[in-house]
Amino acid sequence: MKNVNGRTRLLGLIGNPIEHTLSPFIHNYLSEKLSINEVYVPFLVEQERLKEAVRGAYALNVFGMNVTIPYKNQVIEYLKEIDVLAKEIGAVNTLVRIKDGYKGYNTDALGLLRAMESQGIAIKGEEAIVIGAGGGAKAVVSLLLKEGIKGIYLCNRHKEGAQKLAKEGVIPMGFDEIKKIPYKKYLAVQTTPVGMFPKEGRAPVEDEEFYKKIHTGIDLIYRPFSTKFMEMVKEGGGKAFNGLKMLLYQGVIAYELWNDRKVPEDIIYLLYEELKRELNISE
Ligand code: NAP
């Protein structure tokens, strides 16, 4: 039980729905381990009350918040400032209290970067395949371009979705065109929800030839811990990673922004182990 007193600082999450979030677990764990007097709580916010929620949180001296579905884009108009990468992505998942309002960041993208660094996965000079063209894909594409990827094949079920994210260095295509991707070895990132409940045991692309072109595959899904996409990457001879480290580091980076301090590596390691336990993962 947390020892809440008159000096306790408040952090929170706004979204809808929020029942299944792991963020309170992550942040309250870090506060406890680092002996910082703060508490993190979920706030269920109704669609038409987002503006009131952001203003109200500021008035109540909430010093930091996460933002989740469906508000990652909508929240931008209520911010005082926005970080360059978050602006480029067009989505914010972390609010940091500044003078007269909040500054928005996208720690999903930064979290993926730190996860990749921790797993020894290079971006610079690589060529990539990104599957999906939703919010997650947008963050992945912006990050890869910023970090020096040579080119991206952006594959989506509906080609129009991929075309909306097309820019210099990004070639949009429908799933029916993936055979056109030249035979080389790519870094691939799977950003659709296919592979998690209720589509467990499925991958958005199930063509074995496609997977022979992947040297490293990252699935943003972490529940289940291993997905069909990951299995197919391994069967094709590549290395496969899930999204739990991205989740871990997006939380750690938000926490570091709020508290203006680095979380030590040994605590990050312990948090990762605790997250796996929380998700009933025994590996
Ligand atoms: P989203 O915006 O709803 O993206 C949906 C994308 O998935 C679209 O490209 C859509 O294609 C595609 N899609 C949906 N159902 C499909 C199906 N049956 N077959 C093929 N493609 C399908 O979702 P998001 O916010 O990007 O999130 C996507 C995933 O990333 C989720 O699983 C989420 O949990 C995960 N995620 C993980 C982290 C992390 O920290 N690990 C962070 C963010 C997101 P169309 O355009 O053709 O409909």
Side-chain angles (χ1 to χ4, degrees):
M1 178 66 189
K2 279 222 170 228
N3 197 4
V4 175
N5 58 30
R7 290 199 175 80
T8 304
R9 300 203 301 172
L10 186 58
L11 292 165
L13 165 73
I14 51 179
N16 191 354
I18 46 171
E19 289 79 12
H20 299 294
T21 177
L22 285 166
S23 292
F25 182 88
I26 292 174
H27 296 292
N28 289 318
Y29 180 88
L30 289 174
S31 297
E32 195 184 318
K33 283 283 164 201
L34 296 167
S35 303
I36 297 180
N37 187 0
E38 58 199 15
V39 66
Y40 183 107
V41 292
F43 296 114
L44 179 69
V45 174
E46 297 302 335
Q47 185 70 44
E48 66 283 2
R49 312 207 92 160
L50 179 61
K51 181 178 176 182
E52 276 174 271
V54 175
R55 299 270 152 87
Y58 194 81
L60 288 171
N61 202 28
V62 174
F63 80 102
M65 286 198 290
N66 283 133
V67 181
T68 189
I69 289 169
Y71 301 130
K72 288 184 182 185
N73 313 98
Q74 296 168 41
V75 77
I76 292 174
E77 63 174 303
Y78 307 122
L79 301 178
K80 187 80 186 160
E81 279 181 39
I82 183 164
D83 170 67
V84 181
L85 180 61
K87 191 174 180 186
E88 155 79 26
I89 297 167
V92 157
N93 79 324
T94 299
L95 308 188
V96 176
R97 188 182 182 87
I98 58 170
K99 192 173 179 307
D100 297 330
Y102 290 103
K103 177 168 180 179
Y105 292 85
N106 189 306
T107 71
D108 284 332
L110 297 170
L112 177 61
L113 177 63
R114 217 150 126 191
M116 289 173 76
E117 284 168 354
S118 80
Q119 288 159 322
I121 305 169
I123 299 176
K124 200 172 169 56
E126 292 286 330
E127 289 186 72
I129 299 171
V130 175
I131 305 174
K138 235 173 143 185
V140 170
V141 166
S142 298
L143 175 74
L144 294 180
L145 290 173
K146 181 174 164 282
E147 294 300 315
I149 203 90
K150 270 207 305 215
I152 300 173
Y153 290 96
L154 181 61
C155 316
N156 197 44
R157 176 177 57 177
H158 298 108
K159 187 174 176 177
E160 313 82 69
Q163 279 164 332
K164 283 192 192 135
L165 300 195
K167 53 175 101 170
E168 200 184 332
V170 179
I171 299 173
M173 51 175 58
F175 286 165
D176 53 342
E177 296 173 288
I178 56 166
K179 282 193 175 18
K180 290 187 198 157
I181 298 175
Y183 259 98
K184 289 189 207 165
K185 288 285 186 181
Y186 298 87
L187 165 68
V189 188
Q190 196 303 102
T191 75
T192 79
V194 182
M196 64 185 210
F197 180 83
K199 292 202 179 322
E200 279 171 309
R202 300 298 308 270
V205 177
E206 295 189 351
D207 170 1
E208 285 173 20
E209 284 303 304
F210 171 74
Y211 288 89
K212 290 181 186 159
K213 297 175 186 168
I214 298 174
H215 67 69
T216 305
I218 304 169
D219 200 327
L220 297 199
I221 293 171
Y222 51 85
R223 205 171 359 201
F225 202 59
S226 184
T227 61
K228 172 92 184 243
F229 169 82
M230 291 167 63
E231 278 162 30
M232 293 196 77
V233 167
K234 284 190 251 176
E235 280 161 18
K239 284 189 194 165
F241 300 86
N242 64 32
L244 192 59
K245 288 241 156 119
M246 174 178 173
L247 178 83
L248 169 83
Y249 281 108
Q250 65 74 30
V252 166
I253 295 167
Y255 198 84
E256 290 176 341
L257 285 167
W258 294 325
N259 289 292
D260 199 19
R261 63 186 278 184
K262 279 267 174 209
V263 177
E265 283 304 320
D266 57 335
I267 302 233
I268 296 175
Y269 173 81
L270 289 174
L271 171 58
Y272 183 64
E273 293 304 311
E274 286 300 323
L275 271 174
K276 285 201 289 188
R277 212 160 295 151
E278 187 68 11
L279 290 166
N280 283 325
I281 293 156
S282 54
E283 292 169 47

